[in-house]
RNA sequence: GGGCCUGUAGUCUAGUGGCUAUGACGCCACCUUUACAUGGUGGAGAUCAAGAGUUCGAAUCUCUUUAGGCCCACCA
């Protein structure tokens, strides 16, 4: 039997240990049950400790895993970590106070692996296990593991072979801070105030005024454009202009893309200031004149400006222009510029050799694929489609970084030919391994590729990695596509996009049947939480003050796909519910001692409750199916609190406290109803509140139900409903409520005896439950006549 | 500039055509009642952002306006 005090900490620890020992959540690869595969988001283990938003997100779909398991699915729920890539690299550099440049690549990679492992261990214990998450830890994978690297590299080789991956020397999005190429998805626009500078250029016979925000790019100026119908300037077209300070002569051309009304209506094109520069550079076959290095500094072609940063050079160039009276006007300008999403450094366009995966050629196909997937909520599909339609670059997958999956390629020193390894030799690092054969030209000297993959190259294969595509092909056949991808909405353009792309390119398949976008947390004022704003609430701090089920109750109220502000007081409701569940269970179970469940003939009022219960089961089941966790929870909660506690328990007290007054079969009926309704309630709440429901289950139900945990018991099934009894019961409750109101107004105890007079048609309807009404309202007698409640003298 | 989401009591929230608009926190009053005072019962509190339209009937559907949020584009 349950103790009087509800002690969450003891209960949590006891059952978490038990679940682990008994392997309650193990995926059974030999089972013939239908699989349900969840494509879990691998968290960055470098984050140190966990943001309440992550805890919310990870718990939100963990609830789904539990419910599916109870529904009878063989749930494949693999924990994972993303420990490959920039964040880890930067974390290690910061934590150990080193720079990747001071250390050998292999040494640096080793340090990264060691640090990741430490953090992951902590994470697993302090976060996932503490929150009662039901992973099968035997399925753990990390994105830097040999298996994941192998999948990443094989994916690359296959795409290269089928022509969907290529290497090209192109102007590429470049982060001067991280000194690497980036993909379009890694660019974040920020708003900033800048200056528009009007600069004088000489033409053959006149002066023209050009407005630019990037005067430091003058040395890279290769042309000047005006609008073809701009009467002010048409006479200039075909002539040459001289770039101030640097002296190169550049052609003046016309293009419709020029905005006549912006600035002076004359644009200079530099290699490269923005995307239009690239477009025109290609369209008009202009020369390439680079002036910025990979580090974001002025290069040796810029003379006295060499070595200056972009900012310094801008200042210096402007000062020199001013001195020569070539700077005629400066005006403030607001603009949005593309920056690196991790460091917010403005991106540059730098010509480098990179590997790309084709996306532009597959836009339509990808949108079609996305339409085969169920999006929860559906409007996020639109965001995917918009993103896909607006793509203007293929996916650049090579990064000039140290820590990541190496690109498995060598180049022949003699003829430059690309040499690829055999699939069976993967994973490998070309810096550490040599090709097995000589080049077609006969040379045996090779230059290894030093770049690594974009981390999304690996993460985009998470459904394949999770079910061990290459290690267990038979597994893969059965478990791919996955059932569900839960993820955050801010990475639709990366994780969701690339995963859909890869599944399409490799298997002409969707990667999953469903994608569900989780809840996005905001601070109490409705602003996004971030470390830089200092408004982050940490999950481990919260768990010091609240028990896990209380936290999970709050998670259960959050609606998928929408934002929720975090207010600590919302946790109070959860605590109250748990105490209520505890006490109602104590009461119920105290009357079921030595009871063995057996379906008896049911009393009408018991049919009333069971009928309502069946409707709740139906609703909750439906809700869970559509990832409407909060609705499912609310349905169960309302039933429990209102129908079961407030009304039914009060009604049933007469039978359990005064058995002598009642027939044996009425008492059997009551006990059966108590048994079923409490068991069903805790089952409906089990996915959300795994600890308290397990405690209640184990303290009594387990001996009759046999399954070793509530979490592998069967999800309740909808049985019959009883419309007539429901009506009678509802009327009883209505009258009970009026009686309570009457007693409150009279300022008497609810125990006070009364005399009740009810109209004939109500009495007829109430006939099956009249004795229950009499007992619960403490009516000494019930008369027929005009409605009246009277205090007993 | 384009697209998407949201606007319901002091606060958060349910409700996508139909009884006096849901629930929680907070507030007020009463109730020592044998599960629970971390409780129970009852109450006050909302012109459902504004306007127009469709309809017998609108928080709910349509349009316009407005406020907030998000995504994308432009970015000389």
């Amino acid at each position: 039997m349950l103790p009087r005090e509800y002690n969450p900490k003891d209960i949590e620890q006891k059952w978490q240990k038990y679940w682990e020992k008994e392997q309650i959540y193990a995926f059974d690869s030999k089972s013939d049950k239908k699989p349900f595969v969840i494509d879990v988001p691998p968290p960055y283990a470098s984050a140190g400790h966990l943001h309440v938003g992550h805890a919310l997100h990870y718990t939100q779909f963990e609830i789904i895993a539990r419910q599916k398991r109870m529904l009878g699915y063989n749930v494949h729920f693999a924990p994972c970590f993303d420990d490959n890539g920039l964040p880890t690299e930067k974390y290690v550099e910061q934590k150990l106070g080193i720079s990747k440049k001071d250390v050998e690549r292999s040494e640096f990679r080793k340090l990264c692996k060691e640090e990741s492992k430490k953090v992951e261990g902590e994470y697993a214990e302090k976060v996932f296990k503490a929150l009662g998450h039901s992973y099968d830890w035997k399925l753990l994978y990390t994105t830097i593991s040999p298996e994941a690297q192998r999948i990443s590299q094989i994916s690359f080789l296959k795409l290269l072979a089928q022509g969907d991956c290529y290497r090209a020397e192109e102007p590429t999005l470049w982060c001067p801070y991280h000194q690497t190429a980036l993909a379009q998805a890694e660019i974040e626009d920020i708003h900033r105030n800048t200056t528009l500078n009007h600069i004088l250029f000489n033409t053959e016979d006149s002066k023209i005024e050009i407005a630019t925000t990037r005067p430091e790019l003058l040395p890279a100026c290769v042309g000047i454009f005006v609008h073809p119908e701009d009467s002010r300037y048409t006479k200039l077209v075909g002539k040459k202009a001289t770039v101030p300070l640097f002296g190169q002569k550049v052609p003046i051309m016309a293009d419709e893309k020029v905005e006549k009304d912006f600035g002076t209506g004359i644009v200079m094109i530099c290699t490269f200031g923005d995307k239009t520069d690239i477009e025109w550079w290609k369209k008009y076959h202009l020369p390439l004149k680079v002036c910025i290095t990979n580090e974001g500094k002025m290069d040796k072609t810029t003379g006295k400006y060499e070595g200056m940063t972009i900012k310094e050079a801008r200042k210096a160039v402007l000062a020199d222009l001013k001195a020569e009276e070539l700077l005629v006007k400066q005006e403030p300008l607001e603009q949005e510029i593309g920056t690196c999403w991790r460091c917010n450094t403005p991106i540059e366009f730098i010509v480098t050799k990179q590997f790309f995966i084709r996306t532009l050629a597959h836009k339509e196909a990808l949108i079609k694929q996305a339409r085969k997937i169920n999006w929860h909520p559906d409007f996020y599909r639109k965001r995917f489609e918009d993103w896909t339609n607006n793509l203007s670059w293929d996916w650049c997958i090579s990064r000039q970084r140290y820590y990541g999956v190496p690109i498995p390629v060598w180049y022949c020193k003699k003829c430059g030919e690309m040499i690829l390894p055999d699939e069976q030799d993967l994973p490998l690092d070309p810096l550490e391994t040599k090709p097995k054969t000589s080049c077609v030209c006969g040379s045996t000297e090779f230059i290894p590729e030093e770049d690594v993959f974009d981390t999304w190259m690996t993460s985009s294969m998470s459904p394949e990695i999770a079910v061990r595509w290459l290690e267990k092909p038979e597994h893969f056949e059965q478990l791919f596509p996955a059932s569900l991808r839960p993820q955050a909405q801010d990475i639709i353009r990366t994780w969701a996009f690339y995963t859909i792309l890869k599944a399409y390119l490799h298997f002409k398949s969707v990667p999953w049947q469903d994608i569900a976008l989780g809840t996005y947390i905001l601070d109490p004022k409705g602003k996004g939480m971030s470390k830089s704003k200092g408004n982050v609430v940490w999950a481990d701090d919260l768990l010091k003050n609240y028990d896990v089920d209380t936290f999970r109750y709050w998670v259960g109220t959050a609606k998928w796909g929408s934002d929720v502000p975090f207010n600590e007081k919302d946790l109070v409701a959860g605590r109250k519910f748990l105490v209520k569940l505890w006490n109602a269970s104590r009461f119920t179970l105290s009357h079921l001692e030595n009871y063995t469940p057996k379906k008896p003939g049911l009393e009408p009022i018991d049919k009333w409750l069971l009928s309502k219960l069946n409707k709740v089961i139906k609703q909750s089941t439906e809700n869970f199916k559509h990832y409407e966790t909060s609705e499912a929870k609310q349905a169960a909660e309302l039933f429990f609190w209102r129908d079961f506690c407030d009304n039914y328990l009060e009604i049933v007290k007469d039978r359990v406290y005064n058995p002598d007054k009642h027939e044996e079969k009425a008492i059997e009926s009551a006990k059966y109803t108590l048994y079923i309704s409490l068991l069903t309630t805790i089952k409906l709440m089990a996915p959300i509140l795994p600890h308290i429901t397990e405690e209640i289950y184990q303290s009594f139900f387990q001996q009759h139900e046999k399954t070793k945990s509530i979490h592998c018991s069967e999800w309740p099934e909808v049985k019959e409903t009883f419309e007539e009894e429901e009506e009678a019961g509802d009327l009883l409750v209505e009258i009970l409520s009026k009686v309570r109101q009457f007693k409150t107004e009279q300022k008497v105890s609810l125990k006070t005896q009364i005399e009740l007079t009810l109209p004939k048609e109500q009495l007829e309807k109430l006939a099956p439950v009249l004795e229950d009404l009499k007992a619960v309202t403490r009516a000494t007698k019930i008369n027929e006549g005009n409605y009246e409640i009277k205090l007993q003298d």
Side-chain angles (χ1 to χ4, degrees):
Chain A
M1 284 295 118
L2 298 172
R4 195 180 156 77
E5 286 287 316
Y6 166 53
N7 266 323
K9 292 287 169 212
D10 299 349
I11 292 172
E12 280 164 21
Q13 288 193 356
K14 175 168 62 173
W15 297 118
Q16 284 174 10
K17 270 186 207 144
Y18 176 80
W19 297 332
E20 200 164 347
K21 192 180 118 233
E22 296 292 323
Q23 297 285 309
I24 298 294
Y25 308 123
F27 172 75
D28 180 1
S29 57
K30 293 182 189 76
S31 162
D32 51 7
K33 287 200 261 178
K34 229 178 132 190
F36 189 91
V37 183
I38 301 180
D39 180 19
V40 176
Y44 286 126
S46 58
H49 58 169
L50 188 84
H51 189 272
V52 67
H54 294 133
L56 162 63
H57 186 210
Y58 278 82
T59 306
Q60 195 160 38
F61 58 79
E62 196 274 337
I63 290 171
I64 301 295
R66 288 183 177 276
Q67 200 258 345
K68 294 290 176 189
R69 215 174 274 121
M70 290 175 78
L71 274 177
Y73 287 97
N74 187 20
V75 174
H76 188 282
F77 194 39
C80 46
F81 291 106
D82 188 6
D83 41 18
N84 136 31
L86 276 177
T88 309
E89 223 177 89
K90 284 281 152 195
Y91 173 79
V92 169
E93 284 186 325
Q94 264 171 27
K95 190 178 168 193
L96 305 179
I98 53 168
S99 160
K100 63 167 189 175
K101 288 178 189 158
D102 313 334
V103 194
E104 283 283 305
R105 170 155 145 176
S106 57
E107 179 61 20
F108 186 75
R109 291 171 61 92
K110 215 177 104 196
L111 291 172
C112 286
K113 277 187 201 169
E114 280 168 10
E115 276 310 309
S116 302
K117 204 156 189 188
K118 256 189 246 167
V119 182
E120 283 161 19
E122 242 176 77
Y123 226 74
E125 289 302 324
K126 267 173 48 184
V127 179
F128 294 130
K129 290 185 186 173
L131 286 168
H133 285 187
S134 59
Y135 290 109
D136 180 349
W137 286 92
K138 290 196 299 299
L139 302 177
L140 174 76
Y141 75 83
T142 68
T143 55
I144 203 69
S145 68
E147 296 76 25
Q149 293 205 36
R150 181 148 189 259
I151 284 182
S152 199
Q153 293 187 335
I154 282 183
S155 164
F156 167 75
L157 292 184
K158 285 188 190 296
L159 296 180
L160 212 51
Q162 72 191 52
D164 279 311
C165 179
Y166 62 94
R167 186 171 189 238
E169 186 162 23
E170 292 263 337
T172 313
L173 298 160
W174 185 271
C175 172
Y177 174 74
H178 287 109
Q179 292 175 37
T180 180
L182 296 174
Q184 189 178 347
E186 289 162 297
I187 307 305
E188 190 180 271
D189 286 351
I190 60 161
H191 188 85
R192 75 166 183 192
N193 297 311
T194 184
T195 311
L196 189 60
N197 306 286
H198 293 245
I199 298 169
L200 288 180
F201 280 54
N202 282 318
T203 68
E204 290 150 37
D205 44 21
S206 64
K207 281 186 192 298
I208 52 172
E209 192 181 319
I210 293 179
T212 179
T213 56
R214 305 274 321 255
E216 74 279 12
L217 289 180
L218 281 172
C221 179
V222 293
I224 284 168
F225 280 87
V226 297
H227 194 275
E229 280 148 35
D230 191 336
S231 57
R232 290 175 295 175
Y233 304 128
T234 41
K235 59 179 188 296
L236 293 173
V237 177
K239 296 192 172 156
K240 298 227 165 190
T242 308
V243 177
L245 303 183
F246 298 92
Q248 72 267 38
K249 290 199 165 32
V250 297
I252 303 174
M253 290 172 279
D255 191 282
E256 309 222 316
K257 248 192 145 172
V258 178
E259 290 260 0
K260 284 187 277 187
D261 301 330
F262 189 92
T264 61
I266 310 179
V267 190
M268 71 165 182
I269 131 156
C270 307
T271 52
F272 297 95
D274 63 32
K275 241 158 62 182
T276 321
D277 287 350
I278 298 169
E279 212 181 303
W280 284 338
W281 173 72
K282 281 189 183 164
K283 190 168 164 189
Y284 298 101
H285 307 286
L286 295 166
L288 178 67
K289 238 180 152 279
V290 175
C291 74
I292 291 174
T293 66
N294 294 0
E295 291 84 35
K297 293 192 172 155
M298 303 305 283
D299 74 5
K300 55 182 186 289
T301 69
T302 62
K304 63 182 272 204
Y305 305 102
E306 184 183 350
M308 291 186 186
T309 64
I310 293 167
K311 263 190 179 167
E312 289 163 356
R314 184 174 306 166
K315 230 169 139 184
V317 167
L318 284 172
D320 292 343
L321 287 167
K322 210 166 182 180
E324 300 198 18
E325 296 185 350
L326 294 167
L327 183 62
V328 293
K329 190 174 152 193
Q330 289 191 296
E331 54 183 324
L333 180 73
E334 291 186 7
Q335 64 171 181
E336 304 282 325
I337 50 155
T339 63
C340 170
W341 74 327
R342 296 196 192 285
C343 63
N344 277 345
T345 306
I347 48 125
E348 295 295 331
F349 300 88
I350 298 217
V351 178
T352 50
K353 271 200 169 172
Q354 305 288 348
F355 283 98
F356 295 87
I357 288 178
R358 291 187 201 285
T359 56
L360 302 179
H362 301 299
K363 280 186 182 184
E364 273 180 47
L366 293 173
I367 287 171
K368 264 192 200 152
Q369 290 303 103
R371 288 186 181 164
K372 294 179 194 162
I373 299 165
N374 304 309
W375 293 69
H376 298 273
D378 187 62
F379 62 76
Y380 280 114
R381 201 192 62 238
K382 176 89 176 131
R383 183 173 293 188
F384 175 91
E385 291 182 8
D386 287 349
W387 172 258
T388 307
N389 278 324
N390 285 326
L391 274 175
S392 50
W393 309 75
D394 277 336
W395 175 19
C396 176
I397 53 165
S398 40
R399 295 290 180 275
Q400 290 66 56
R401 298 299 301 179
Y402 273 30
Y403 189 58
V405 177
I407 300 181
V409 165
W410 302 268
Y411 307 99
C412 172
K413 210 167 187 175
K414 207 165 144 200
C415 70
E417 183 73 18
M418 198 194 297
I419 320 289
L420 302 171
D422 287 337
E423 282 192 10
Q424 78 245 20
D425 297 329
L426 300 179
L428 62 75
D429 183 346
L431 288 175
E432 287 162 15
T433 319
K434 285 204 164 103
K436 282 183 172 167
T437 52
S438 51
C439 176
V440 279
C441 78
S443 167
T444 49
E445 283 191 277
F446 304 98
I447 302 165
E449 173 62 70
E450 291 187 13
D451 290 356
V452 296
F453 286 130
D454 177 7
T455 78
W456 296 112
M457 186 68 184
T458 309
S459 327
S460 59
M461 303 298 284
S462 60
E464 292 87 352
I465 297 169
V467 303
R468 275 65 177 177
W469 172 29
L470 302 170
E471 294 160 73
K472 298 181 181 170
E474 73 292 346
H475 228 143
F476 178 74
E477 283 305 311
Q478 198 195 345
L479 303 176
F480 184 88
S483 317
L484 168 67
R485 153 68 66 88
Q487 72 161 73
Q489 45 92 348
D490 58 338
I491 50 175
I492 289 174
R493 69 186 199 178
T494 49
W495 198 33
F497 178 83
Y498 294 138
T499 311
I500 291 171
L501 173 72
K502 285 287 194 80
Y504 174 70
L505 295 179
H506 287 301
F507 309 105
K508 291 281 175 288
S509 163
V510 294
W512 354 265
Q513 283 137 20
D514 290 6
I515 178 168
L517 288 309
T519 301
Y520 188 72
I521 192 117
L522 303 171
D523 76 2
K525 290 178 191 136
K527 300 281 170 209
M529 280 188 190
S530 72
K531 263 194 222 169
S532 57
K533 281 190 207 143
N535 60 353
V536 174
V537 177
W538 300 105
D540 33 3
D541 287 342
L542 210 61
L543 288 176
K544 282 176 201 151
N545 298 325
Y546 296 91
D547 54 84
V548 178
D549 283 346
T550 302
F551 176 75
R552 294 181 59 113
Y553 177 96
W554 174 74
V555 172
T557 56
K559 207 173 166 167
W560 283 79
S562 63
D563 303 347
V564 69
F566 178 77
N567 283 301
E568 198 168 330
K569 70 175 170 95
D570 293 342
L571 289 165
V572 173
R575 187 174 274 176
K576 283 190 166 185
F577 179 82
L578 292 169
V579 172
K580 188 77 177 171
L581 183 60
W582 185 258
N583 284 314
S585 300
R586 269 200 317 124
F587 171 80
T588 304
L589 298 185
S590 71
H591 294 289
L592 291 178
E593 260 176 286
N594 305 320
Y595 173 71
T596 307
K598 192 172 82 209
K599 193 171 177 182
L602 288 168
E603 294 295 303
I605 197 66
D606 298 334
K607 285 184 178 172
W608 164 77
L609 187 77
L610 293 176
S611 191
K612 289 204 168 293
L613 179 61
N614 277 309
K615 287 181 178 171
V616 172
I617 295 171
K618 193 175 169 199
Q619 204 199 322
S620 167
T621 310
E622 242 347 83
N623 288 148
F624 267 118
K625 200 167 154 188
H626 299 108
Y627 305 101
E628 295 157 354
T629 329
S630 54
E631 287 88 337
K633 171 176 146 288
Q634 200 185 338
E637 193 179 350
L638 276 178
F639 166 82
F640 166 74
W641 208 302
R642 192 190 279 171
D643 297 324
F644 186 70
C645 294
D646 291 352
N647 295 319
Y648 185 75
L649 290 187
E650 293 306 319
I651 294 167
V652 88
K653 274 178 184 170
D654 190 52
R655 276 183 282 169
V656 297
Y657 282 132
N658 311 306
D660 304 343
K661 268 172 65 186
H662 297 274
E663 286 180 53
E664 183 63 28
K665 71 177 176 70
I667 292 164
E668 280 299 305
S669 174
K671 288 192 171 174
Y672 176 79
T673 308
L674 285 171
Y675 184 94
I676 293 295
S677 2
L678 182 62
L679 177 60
T680 305
T681 300
I682 60 172
K683 280 189 178 186
L684 293 175
M685 294 307 277
I688 298 170
L689 312 172
H691 304 91
I692 191 171
T693 54
E694 181 78 304
E695 175 73 16
I696 296 166
Y697 180 83
Q698 297 287 353
S699 74
F700 177 68
F701 294 104
Q702 198 276 333
Q703 53 183 297
H704 301 292
E705 299 292 318
K706 306 295 184 208
T707 59
K708 59 186 176 185
S709 161
I710 189 172
H711 302 298
C712 36
S713 71
E714 275 175 37
W715 187 252
E717 261 180 58
V718 182
K719 305 214 175 70
E720 58 204 318
T721 51
F722 308 97
E723 294 306 325
E724 241 174 74
E725 284 81 357
E726 254 200 73
E727 257 183 63
D730 285 347
L731 185 56
L732 180 153
V733 169
E734 200 185 311
I735 292 165
L736 172 58
S737 162
K738 280 185 181 156
V739 171
R740 283 169 171 166
Q741 190 174 349
F742 173 79
K743 290 181 180 173
T744 303
E745 278 162 9
Q746 299 297 313
K747 305 191 177 184
V748 296
S749 156
L750 292 179
K751 224 169 151 185
T752 312
Q753 294 195 324
I754 54 153
E755 199 175 317
L756 199 55
T757 310
L758 296 171
K760 190 177 173 201
E761 64 275 17
Q762 286 200 351
L763 282 176
E764 276 167 6
K765 244 191 215 171
L766 287 166
V769 296
L770 203 62
E771 283 309 307
D772 298 297
L773 178 66
K774 209 171 155 185
V776 77
T777 57
R778 312 271 168 160
T780 46
K781 59 197 247 196
I782 297 180
N783 312 309
E784 186 181 316
N786 286 337
Y787 174 81
E788 195 192 6
I789 309 171
K790 241 173 40 185
L791 283 182
Q792 190 76 3
D793 304 321

